[in-house]
Amino acid sequence: MKTLFLLKLTIFMLLNHIAPAQTKSPNVMNNSTYTMTITQTFNAPLEKVWTAFTDAESIKRWWGPVGFTAPIANINFREGNVSLVCMRSPDGFEIFNTWTYQKISAMKSIEFIQHFTDKSGKKIKPSDIGMPPGIPDEVPHIITFKKIGDQKTELTIVEHGYTNPQIVEISKNGTASMLQKFATEVER
């Protein structure tokens, strides 16, 4: 069931969500790894966009691609702490991740390392749940927030460490889909 789900998810993202959000930087190869960068501007003040990344109930409304839900967002938003989030596919398959916060600069940036985990937060290899090759065991993220006037915010998400350019595209497409939900959350 999960293998079929992952195949459908990959095909869906590749066919239906090609670059729906603006990309400011190309994928960059660095020491045999690839970086995913995606930037989008929201019609929302900086404080509202920041809160959407720090508030558990808000995260539950936008985490995961369109069509997915997020039944769990145990957020422990402090440097050195770990949050546990879960996205659930339309057919009920759950994917758990932790975000281990490395650096938080209020209203400016969040740096964390994302791991695939079981439902208790224990780290697992992406391949343990049928993820394709090229997804590293840990994916460093840098989220930056830039105020544009009083009512707009530019958000940039950078993910490092991918070993396969096709996985970068899958991540970019999934992130772009998630940002559609994020826009609904912050622009309402």
Side-chain angles (χ1 to χ4, degrees):
M1 180 168 144
K2 70 181 172 186
T3 302
L4 179 60
F5 157 74
L6 292 171
L7 178 62
K8 285 187 210 175
L9 174 64
T10 301
I11 292 168
F12 175 77
M13 285 197 265
L14 288 173
L15 294 178
N16 295 309
H17 292 289
I18 301 296
Q22 296 177 11
T23 301
K24 277 193 128 177
S25 302
N27 300 335
V28 178
M29 188 169 175
N30 182 6
N31 296 331
S32 300
T33 63
Y34 295 83
T35 298
M36 189 284 295
T37 302
I38 193 165
T39 298
Q40 187 167 329
T41 300
F42 298 95
N43 293 316
L46 173 62
E47 295 77 13
K48 191 169 187 178
V49 173
W50 177 264
T51 298
F53 263 91
T54 62
D55 176 71
E57 292 307 310
S58 181
I59 291 168
K60 286 180 181 181
R61 290 188 288 271
W62 62 259
W63 176 243
V66 171
F68 283 60
T69 60
I72 296 171
N74 297 331
I75 304 303
N76 195 352
F77 189 69
R78 289 197 173 100
E79 285 184 15
N81 288 351
V82 178
S83 292
L84 175 69
V85 293
C86 172
M87 65 174 77
R88 182 182 292 149
S89 73
D91 66 356
F93 182 66
E94 295 182 331
I95 300 172
F96 293 87
N97 297 110
T98 55
W99 301 337
T100 304
Y101 300 104
Q102 306 299 300
K103 183 177 179 185
I104 298 170
S105 181
M107 303 292 171
K108 294 180 182 174
S109 65
I110 303 168
E111 296 182 28
F112 63 89
I113 297 177
Q114 178 175 303
H115 295 96
F116 284 89
T117 68
D118 64 15
K119 65 183 175 182
S120 70
K122 180 182 173 197
K123 294 177 190 175
I124 61 173
K125 293 187 174 299
S127 60
D128 291 348
I129 58 169
M131 291 293 180
I135 300 175
D137 291 348
E138 56 182 46
V139 181
H141 284 61
I142 301 172
I143 316 292
T144 56
F145 303 78
K146 181 180 176 186
K147 183 176 182 175
I148 302 175
D150 290 335
Q151 296 299 315
K152 289 190 178 193
T153 304
E154 181 182 273
L155 178 74
T156 300
I157 300 173
V158 179
E159 300 174 353
H160 299 281
Y162 294 107
T163 60
N164 177 320
Q166 289 80 23
I167 297 301
V168 171
E169 287 306 308
I170 291 169
S171 180
K172 184 182 286 184
N173 295 328
T175 301
S177 178
M178 178 268 303
L179 288 175
Q180 292 175 22
K181 291 169 56 179
F182 188 84
T184 300
E185 174 67 14
V186 299
E187 293 179 351
R188 60 185 167 121

